[in-house]
Amino acid sequence: MRVAIGIEYAGNAFQGWQTQSHGRTVQDVVERALTQIAQEPVKLICAGRTDTGVHATMQVAHFDTDARRPLEAWVRGVNSHLPTSVAVLWAVAVDDEFHARFSAEARRYRYVLLNRRIRPGLLNGRVGWTHGPLDEEAMAAAAGCLVGKHDFTSFRAAECQAKSPVRVMHSVVVRRQGDIVLFDFHANAFLHHMIRNLVGSLVFIGKGRRPVEWMGELLAERNRTLAAPTFSPDGLYLCGVDYPPRWSLPDGGRIIAAPQLLLP
């Protein structure tokens, strides 16, 4: 049978999602826990690989198994074998046509940025941080040009392996809640470091170091060296994946399940 699972994790406890020889990745620990319940090797396929330090309130993955277990065993049973920084939230039986990556219609990310004079203590590793005032209205205006189908070469990591730099950005929302500035991105897919590079350039604009029009110019130039440096991974969260309703995933895979303290 094929099972889809929703997973949340604190990315600063792991060295990324994708399995590594040292075994200290999210994929490694979840596969080991699944293997304990299935009593056979289990291989996970996820919707989107996250880098070291990047968190997830809703990562979606699937696996195939010959083991017959109640769905609750793939949740509470698996969680009993996981470290406290990662948890399976739900499990759903799906047909063989479901693929966590290729069936996904879009992904949602949120960047949580603390904007105050003093660095974070309680939220260290869970939020980005910049001191000095930010103009969220200027950043929101600059983000508007990102919506639509564009070549995002200027915001693509040099080691990105995607065949094409073209992505469709459905929406970008920038808003402030007290000392927290939230950046919400919704697109069909993202390039390696794309969001962190976008946030870095938006912060330049928010600080008045560049005009609002600069964002559109960067898109047109298609030159990574012209954009701002890559921003910290600390505040980046994968917040869900959009799937067609035929597979009946909880909220279509889009739940934002993290505490409101971090994601107001």
Side-chain angles (χ1 to χ4, degrees):
M1 64 182 300
R2 178 162 293 183
V3 179
I5 57 175
I7 313 167
E8 68 175 16
Y9 51 86
N12 55 344
F14 303 98
Q15 295 189 16
W17 165 273
Q18 189 174 13
T19 186
Q20 300 288 337
S21 58
H22 52 62
R24 297 188 298 274
T25 72
V26 182
Q27 182 178 358
D28 288 321
V29 299
V30 178
E31 284 183 349
R32 287 197 293 266
L34 287 166
T35 296
Q36 288 291 320
I37 300 301
Q39 291 297 293
E40 64 180 16
V42 174
K43 182 70 174 178
L44 272 178
I45 296 176
C46 74
R49 293 175 293 183
T50 53
D51 292 331
T52 300
V54 177
H55 317 289
T57 66
M58 181 53 64
Q59 169 74 272
V60 178
H62 82 261
F63 62 93
D64 295 326
T65 180
D66 291 327
R68 292 298 183 262
R69 304 286 187 270
L71 289 175
E72 188 68 5
W74 302 121
V75 181
R76 295 175 63 87
V78 170
N79 286 342
S80 69
H81 295 281
L82 287 173
T84 57
S85 49
V86 57
V88 175
L89 301 176
W90 48 258
V92 175
V94 292
D95 61 47
D96 290 345
E97 293 185 9
F98 176 85
H99 192 284
R101 178 183 175 190
F102 298 127
S103 298
E105 296 179 326
R107 284 86 174 163
R108 299 169 186 264
Y109 280 86
R110 173 173 283 180
Y111 197 96
V112 183
L113 179 63
L114 179 65
N115 180 212
R116 71 181 188 194
R117 188 173 59 88
I118 306 300
R119 64 169 176 80
L122 177 64
L123 299 181
N124 181 50
R126 303 297 176 86
V127 297
W129 172 63
T130 187
H131 60 81
L134 286 176
D135 184 344
E136 63 272 16
E137 293 183 359
M139 292 189 293
C145 73
L146 301 173
V147 177
K149 186 176 183 180
H150 300 288
D151 183 324
F152 285 94
T153 295
S154 292
F155 306 101
R156 176 184 191 177
E159 61 271 26
C160 180
Q161 298 179 356
K163 294 181 180 179
S164 170
V166 176
R167 295 292 185 268
V168 179
M169 187 76 77
H170 300 310
S171 66
V172 183
V173 177
V174 182
R175 57 193 173 95
R176 177 185 288 273
Q177 295 187 0
D179 289 336
I180 295 290
V181 179
L182 301 175
F183 302 80
D184 286 315
F185 299 89
H186 181 206
N188 66 332
F190 293 89
L191 302 167
H192 192 197
H193 288 176
M194 177 175 160
I195 297 174
R196 292 168 58 193
N197 292 334
L198 286 170
V199 170
S201 293
L202 288 171
V203 168
F204 264 39
I205 293 170
K207 289 185 173 182
R209 297 178 61 178
R210 296 290 189 278
V212 169
E213 296 76 21
W214 184 55
M215 187 62 71
E217 295 169 3
L218 290 175
L219 276 176
E221 289 289 346
R222 302 177 184 178
N223 186 338
R224 174 69 190 101
T225 65
L226 300 178
T230 305
F231 219 70
S232 162
D234 294 352
L236 184 55
Y237 293 77
L238 172 59
C239 290
V241 189
D242 295 1
Y243 292 96
R246 58 172 288 195
W247 284 295
S248 300
L249 302 186
D251 283 351
R254 297 189 295 272
I255 290 177
I256 295 178
Q260 294 292 12
L261 174 66
L262 296 181
L263 304 176

